[in-house]
Amino acid sequence: MRVAIETRPGGAAPNEDWVAGTPALAIVLDGLSTAGLETGCRHGVPWYVEHLGSQLVAALTDPERSLSIGLADALERVAAKHPECDLGNPGTPSATVAVLRQREGFFDHLVLADSPIVLEDRQGFSVITDLRVKEILPELKAEVGRYETHTAEHKEALRRLVLAQRQTRNTATGYWVAASGPEAAEHALTGSAPAEDLRAAALLSDGSACLVTDYAMATWPEVFRTLRNGGPRALIDSVRKAEAADPHGKRWPRYKSGDDASVAFCEWG
């Protein structure tokens, strides 16, 4: 498997995404925004995604080990690295997870939350993602969308949304992400596909997928054409060009003018 990767911060703040690729594995993590709220952890989201990513790579080197068990093990190992932090805080650093692994004759996938994996096969394109986070708290999300980004009103509305999301995060009535407990791995979407059926795959943080999912400025066939011709960097350039044309979020209401963006593009054969 050939994996091309790229990750880029959305602005001046540190990048809270993480991406990696090996000949048998691709991973994209998207750290969740804290909106400036207390997390109970002195390390921060960039530290969390870096350590979770490295632990995932180590946990998934054995092709016989399931992706969900590997994720649960990685979550436990990261928690053990900072026991002095308040890991029970509902705002503890957390992330979405997208994993694709090649083993003999098959490709295995795992998706936790809304960082999608897009598969291209002979029939076309299929998207694997968990959109439960988009279904909750619609009124608070609409309030964020009423204000231009970088305004005090937008910042306050986003803070209220994130505070409410924390109360539903990793609960039966909310949505699931990688955080401090291994039980989140049980709620990931997992599956396998015969290797002979697939042509290519893309793992994306929502800061890259938004070109299709939120902005409707491209289709998945167009995204894959961009990835083949210019690689992940060209795709993120296209996202940034769209955002630059709407810097205050008037056309596309959003949480940030520019979100961290990551891509792992996988080809084989």
Side-chain angles (χ1 to χ4, degrees):
M1 183 169 72
R2 302 183 302 277
V3 185
I5 65 174
E6 180 80 6
T7 184
R8 197 180 306 172
N15 193 345
E16 295 179 340
D17 283 2
W18 190 91
V19 60
T22 77
L25 188 68
I27 300 173
V28 167
L29 307 178
D30 182 355
L32 273 62
S33 173
T34 66
L37 295 165
E38 175 58 45
T39 67
C41 175
R42 66 180 179 85
H43 298 93
V45 176
W47 178 94
Y48 176 77
V49 295
E50 178 183 353
H51 282 76
L52 178 59
S54 62
Q55 291 296 331
L56 265 176
V57 171
L60 297 177
T61 54
D62 178 3
E64 299 304 316
R65 195 177 204 190
S66 76
L67 299 185
S68 56
I69 289 176
L71 174 57
D73 180 68
L75 289 168
E76 287 187 319
R77 290 180 180 273
V78 174
K81 287 181 176 292
H82 59 147
E84 74 281 7
C85 296
D86 178 11
L87 302 183
N89 188 304
T92 191
S94 55
T96 71
V97 182
V99 179
L100 186 72
R101 183 180 64 186
Q102 183 178 15
R103 57 185 173 89
E104 188 172 359
F106 291 91
F107 282 92
D108 303 324
H109 68 259
L110 178 148
V111 169
L112 185 61
D114 61 346
S115 289
I117 297 178
V118 185
L119 303 176
E120 180 187 15
D121 59 24
R122 295 184 181 93
Q123 284 71 48
F125 297 85
S126 57
V127 181
I128 305 162
T129 188
D130 182 351
L131 298 177
R132 276 177 285 186
V133 66
K134 297 187 181 298
E135 298 169 356
I136 63 171
L137 306 171
E139 297 86 0
L140 289 177
K141 290 175 183 174
E143 184 183 1
V144 176
R146 284 198 289 269
Y147 303 110
E148 294 183 13
T149 58
H150 300 302
T151 64
E153 294 85 357
H154 183 275
K155 182 178 180 180
E156 177 58 24
L158 181 59
R159 191 192 67 82
R160 287 195 295 268
L161 172 61
V162 172
L163 196 60
Q165 283 178 331
R166 289 180 173 189
Q167 304 309 311
T168 67
R169 193 174 295 166
N170 289 0
T171 68
T173 57
Y175 65 105
W176 291 85
V177 294
S180 59
E183 65 277 1
E186 300 173 7
H187 298 271
L189 304 180
T190 59
S192 299
E196 62 185 13
D197 292 345
L198 297 180
R199 297 181 57 194
L203 293 72
L204 308 103
S205 66
D206 62 356
S208 295
C210 61
L211 196 67
V212 176
T213 58
D214 295 345
Y215 305 161
M217 294 293 288
T219 63
W220 290 122
E222 291 169 339
V223 164
F224 274 63
R225 188 155 51 245
T226 297
L227 289 169
R228 285 193 168 95
N229 293 336
R233 178 172 295 183
L235 178 61
I236 296 176
D237 284 345
S238 297
V239 174
R240 294 292 182 251
K241 182 177 180 181
E243 291 168 342
D246 179 41
H248 303 296
K250 293 181 179 180
R251 180 177 181 183
W252 301 302
R254 52 195 188 270
Y255 300 159
K256 306 173 185 177
S257 294
D259 196 4
D260 302 336
S262 299
V263 182
F265 181 53
C266 309
E267 294 183 287
W268 41 87

